[in-house]
Amino acid sequence: MKQYYFTSESVTEGHPDKLCDTISDSILDECIKQDPNARVAVETFASKNKITLAGQITFHGEVDYEKIVRQTIGNIGYGDANIDIDPKTCQIDINLTQQSQDIAMGVDVGGAGDQGIMFGYASDETENYMPYAISMAHKLAKRLTEVRKEKIIPYLRPDGKTQVTVEYENDKPKRMQTILISTQHEIKIEQEQLKKDIIEKVIKQVVPKNMIDEKTNFYINPTGRFVIGGPLGDTGLTGRKIIVDTYGGYACHGGGAFSGKDPSKVDRSGAYMIRHIAKNIVANGYAKKCEIQVSYAIGMEEPLSICVNTFGTGNKTEEELVNLIKEKFDLTPAGIIKYLNLNQPIYSQTTNYGHFGKENLPWEKIIKI
């Protein structure tokens, strides 16, 4: 009997890094809405009561960047510079230039926007073909936001984190060993009340009963207090939650972030495409789990390499699966963009609670291979 524990984390949309991801993707969506071929690589930095935008944007249109920043902060639920950030009074510094001509000359002819390696992964251990631990961490983080916005727990603030440790037996999720939730709250709330509400109104509403037992550990705000949050409690930066955005550490990662990048950047579009392929290899019954790596060179269309690993669960050889991928899918940047219809303003809906496992996104569609 094989037994082990695996841990994954997620964060709420009010986490300072996710605030920055959301701003960057909101700007990307607005640019693509006006110009489907927009070239966007925008980074957001948040600290104290200040937001800084930096990066490169080339498109045909006009965007009120400051308006998007303030609307995004307000929509998340921030509003107090003394404990997180105020969308009405925060300082906004905009430092944007156009895409380098050296990069554009390679992308304009259909080449990749940068070099890099990307990984896609899928497993049959959940209905959405995601690892169980990251799937549950996302559900808890999303529920944490729901109970705040719907005032089920009215004293919560936007910043928050979740983490779950799952006990596996023979590579199957057996039970929850530990559930950890840290959430920003108003100063007047006592720890015991917070713990009771989070367990009853968040955890028990999300985690299946058969996955919790008398030995499951619950940790709610382990320091005992979480009043100061958001960019006042910790700086935020676009692209710092790459493991939260993907597979919770269960699969390899090439290191490239997603948010704020248009689909000519294979860091994003390539990772979306090979998630789609890995998911369909599993969904079509070729393997119980599958990880795919691809690599690209800036300005070149075809990937430099494709590697498939089914961890001994496949009923085809990995060489056969590589040949199948080459036969069935166009992995050039232009081919990926066309196949997944990526020149549309869909990116804000990817930002929070994972870029994978959401059935409404085009790379999550199950097809017959």
Side-chain angles (χ1 to χ4, degrees):
M1 184 172 66
K2 182 181 178 183
Q3 185 179 34
Y4 61 92
Y5 299 89
F6 193 86
T7 302
S8 293
E9 71 159 348
S10 183
V11 296
T12 66
E13 62 192 56
H15 184 280
D17 290 334
K18 274 299 157 196
L19 163 65
C20 293
D21 284 345
T22 305
I23 291 172
S24 294
D25 275 337
S26 297
I27 290 171
L28 170 64
D29 274 352
E30 185 57 37
C31 291
I32 290 180
K33 192 182 299 180
Q34 297 183 34
D35 180 0
N37 296 309
R39 303 279 171 74
V40 180
V42 60
E43 311 281 347
T44 305
F45 176 67
S47 179
K48 203 175 178 181
N49 208 37
K50 182 177 180 178
I51 300 290
T52 300
L53 298 182
Q56 298 77 43
I57 298 180
T58 301
F59 79 117
H60 299 290
E62 187 173 337
V63 172
D64 187 340
Y65 299 113
E66 182 174 326
K67 181 180 179 181
I68 290 175
V69 171
R70 297 192 189 280
Q71 282 182 341
T72 302
I73 297 171
N75 289 342
I76 287 173
Y78 285 123
D80 190 339
N82 294 314
I83 56 175
D84 34 58
I85 189 170
D86 187 342
K88 296 178 181 178
T89 64
C90 68
Q91 180 183 346
I92 299 174
D93 182 17
I94 300 173
N95 184 18
L96 298 169
T97 60
Q98 291 195 331
Q99 184 179 64
S100 161
Q101 287 302 309
D102 295 342
I103 297 175
M105 64 187 290
V107 179
D108 289 344
V109 295
D114 201 353
Q115 71 175 51
I117 58 175
M118 300 92 222
F119 288 88
Y121 179 83
S123 166
D124 67 355
E125 66 184 55
T126 59
E127 290 183 358
N128 62 359
Y129 297 91
M130 289 291 287
Y132 188 82
I134 188 64
S135 180
M136 290 308 307
H138 284 325
K139 288 178 180 180
L140 288 167
K142 189 175 183 180
R143 177 62 180 173
L144 202 56
T145 296
E146 289 172 355
V147 297
R148 171 178 62 87
K149 288 189 168 183
E150 295 173 10
K151 300 191 183 304
I152 296 171
I153 308 180
Y155 56 80
L156 296 185
R157 297 287 296 165
D159 199 352
K161 284 185 171 186
T162 66
Q163 184 172 290
V164 299
T165 299
V166 180
E167 180 182 340
Y168 279 78
E169 188 173 280
N170 296 329
D171 285 332
K172 298 291 184 182
K174 180 182 178 182
R175 57 180 289 274
M176 289 288 193
Q177 170 69 13
T178 301
I179 299 173
L180 164 62
I181 293 182
S182 295
T183 179
Q184 187 187 9
H185 58 85
E186 294 177 1
I187 193 170
K188 62 183 179 181
I189 300 303
E190 296 293 332
Q191 172 72 359
E192 286 303 313
Q193 181 65 48
L194 175 68
K195 184 174 181 179
K196 178 183 177 183
D197 285 345
I198 294 298
I199 290 175
E200 293 296 325
K201 299 176 183 178
V202 176
I203 295 173
K204 289 186 177 181
Q205 302 302 313
V206 170
V207 181
K209 291 181 180 179
N210 65 324
M211 294 297 288
I212 298 175
D213 58 30
E214 67 278 1
K215 294 183 179 180
T216 301
N217 300 308
F218 298 98
Y219 297 111
I220 314 299
N221 283 15
T223 66
R225 172 185 161 108
F226 186 177
V227 174
I228 303 298
L232 185 61
D234 189 10
T235 57
L237 184 65
T238 299
R240 264 203 311 214
K241 287 291 175 280
I242 59 175
I243 299 302
V244 170
D245 287 345
T246 52
Y247 306 103
Y250 210 91
C252 294
H253 198 296
F258 299 154
S259 290
K261 296 179 180 179
D262 74 81
S264 73
K265 280 74 173 175
V266 284
D267 273 344
R268 187 169 208 164
S269 55
Y272 289 172
M273 186 65 178
I274 56 173
R275 157 63 180 176
H276 173 69
I277 297 172
K279 179 176 181 177
N280 278 284
I281 284 175
V282 177
N284 278 260
Y286 293 127
K288 290 184 174 296
K289 60 174 70 174
C290 178
E291 182 179 80
I292 304 173
Q293 184 207 54
V294 294
S295 65
Y296 289 87
I298 188 168
M300 295 180 64
E301 293 187 53
E302 296 290 342
L304 302 182
S305 65
I306 305 172
C307 177
V308 175
N309 184 359
T310 58
F311 307 93
T313 69
N315 55 35
K316 285 184 176 290
T317 68
E318 286 156 359
E319 182 181 5
E320 286 175 323
L321 290 173
V322 169
N323 290 333
L324 180 66
I325 292 169
K326 289 179 178 179
E327 177 188 342
K328 295 290 186 181
F329 298 100
D330 182 351
L331 293 182
T332 65
I336 292 171
I337 291 169
K338 181 179 179 180
Y339 178 83
L340 295 177
N341 194 19
L342 295 180
N343 282 338
Q344 55 179 325
I346 61 172
Y347 297 100
S348 293
Q349 59 186 298
T350 70
T351 315
N352 297 293
Y353 318 115
H355 289 244
F356 306 125
K358 299 172 180 174
E359 299 305 319
N360 60 316
L361 297 172
W363 47 92
E364 294 296 323
K365 183 179 180 180
I366 294 177
I367 61 171
K368 184 177 182 180
I369 302 179

